Amino acid sequence: MNTSLTPNAAIEAAVSSEVELDYAASCELPTPWATFRLHAFVEPATGKEHVAITLGDVADGEPVLARIHSECLTGDGLFSLRCDCGPQLEAALQKIAEEGRGALFYLRQEGRGIGLVNKIRAYQLQDAGADTVEANEALGFKPDQRNYKLCQPMLRHLQISTLRLMTNNPRKIKAMEQLGVKVVERVPLVITRNPFNERYLTTKAAKLGHLF
Ligand SMILES: [Zn+2]
């Protein structure tokens, strides 16, 4: 962090590095819990496609119950017990459905930003004894490469400025505040431990500051 930056310069730097996303289309998304709206966005710089899932009127100015979820094919779609992504995604959509209002931002930054193949390489190292942070570092990546700025154009498009954020990760709250998005409440997500995710969850708490 460059401490010589004045607050205004820091804000300018954050704005100038803003991620550009183009809104593409919206449709209905029926699920076991509610029929949501699914909104598609394209990142022109990378061609990556991201989605936001909303329920109810999120543009009325009231704080929005929200989840920022980064893609995890193994956890979200393949039932992996190595991480807590699938249960967190499901719990967040259920909570939004229970309240009848909220938003979930599904960011296509697989494996904390390193991509699917590299995540599987990291899992291979973990099978041989490394923890999740050590494995990423052994592959030459930072422990967490995710960029939450992707949310900014989606939030703007959906006219959301204040969140009740469902997260166990204080970095996400900090990232939102740096983007000028107010987080009025942290809503914890309670996750079930199993023999396969025990070490992963412990490492996330110890090395990445997650709160469980
Ligand atoms: Zn995962």
Side-chain angles (χ1 to χ4, degrees), residues 71-76 82-86 110 119 123 200:
E71 177 179 31
C72 174
L73 179 73
T74 47
D76 298 339
R82 297 189 77 125
C83 62
D84 52 348
C85 301
E110 173 69 57
K119 183 173 80 171
Y123 280 165
Y200 168 77

Side-chain angles (χ1 to χ4, degrees), residues 36-51:
F36 295 90
R37 293 286 297 170
L38 180 63
H39 313 270
F41 298 83
V42 183
E43 191 180 349
T46 61
K48 279 201 173 175
E49 299 164 322
H50 307 275
V51 293

Side-chain angles (χ1 to χ4, degrees), residues 3-87:
T3 49
S4 69
L5 280 182
T6 61
N8 278 345
I11 288 162
E12 269 169 34
V15 169
S16 64
S17 59
E18 192 173 313
V19 176
E20 195 189 324
L21 283 191
D22 294 332
Y23 166 74
S26 298
C27 71
E28 290 205 337
L29 180 71
T31 72
W33 314 289
T35 297
F36 295 90
R37 293 286 297 170
L38 180 63
H39 313 270
F41 298 83
V42 183
E43 191 180 349
T46 61
K48 279 201 173 175
E49 299 164 322
H50 307 275
V51 293
I53 300 167
T54 62
L55 186 67
D57 181 6
V58 292
D60 61 6
E62 292 297 311
V64 173
L65 179 66
R67 166 83 186 153
I68 299 165
H69 192 90
S70 293
E71 177 179 31
C72 174
L73 179 73
T74 47
D76 298 339
L78 299 176
F79 319 103
S80 170
L81 297 176
R82 297 189 77 125
C83 62
D84 52 348
C85 301

Side-chain angles (χ1 to χ4, degrees), residues 70-143:
S70 293
E71 177 179 31
C72 174
L73 179 73
T74 47
D76 298 339
L78 299 176
F79 319 103
S80 170
L81 297 176
R82 297 189 77 125
C83 62
D84 52 348
C85 301
Q88 287 200 45
L89 177 62
E90 195 171 324
L93 288 175
Q94 276 181 15
K95 268 188 198 251
I96 291 169
E98 280 163 20
E99 292 208 0
R101 181 173 172 276
L104 184 138
F105 301 91
Y106 193 95
L107 311 177
R108 305 290 299 286
Q109 39 188 359
E110 173 69 57
R112 291 204 299 269
I114 68 175
L116 179 63
V117 168
N118 284 321
K119 183 173 80 171
I120 293 169
R121 288 194 177 111
Y123 280 165
Q124 185 175 293
L125 292 172
Q126 289 172 50
D127 288 346
D131 73 30
T132 182
V133 168
E134 289 163 355
N136 278 31
E137 286 173 348
L139 293 169
F141 298 109
K142 287 181 250 169

Side-chain angles (χ1 to χ4, degrees), residues 67 82-85 87-88 112 132 146 166-170 172 186-194 197-212:
R67 166 83 186 153
R82 297 189 77 125
C83 62
D84 52 348
C85 301
Q88 287 200 45
R112 291 204 299 269
T132 182
R146 288 176 292 188
M166 288 182 272
T167 185
N168 299 322
N169 183 357
K172 273 188 198 168
R186 180 179 84 87
V187 181
L189 284 173
V190 180
I191 296 309
T192 316
R193 288 176 182 257
N194 68 52
N197 70 18
E198 182 66 43
R199 187 170 182 220
Y200 168 77
L201 294 174
T202 304
T203 303
K204 279 218 298 196
K207 293 194 174 177
L208 298 173
H210 286 235
L211 308 163
F212 294 111

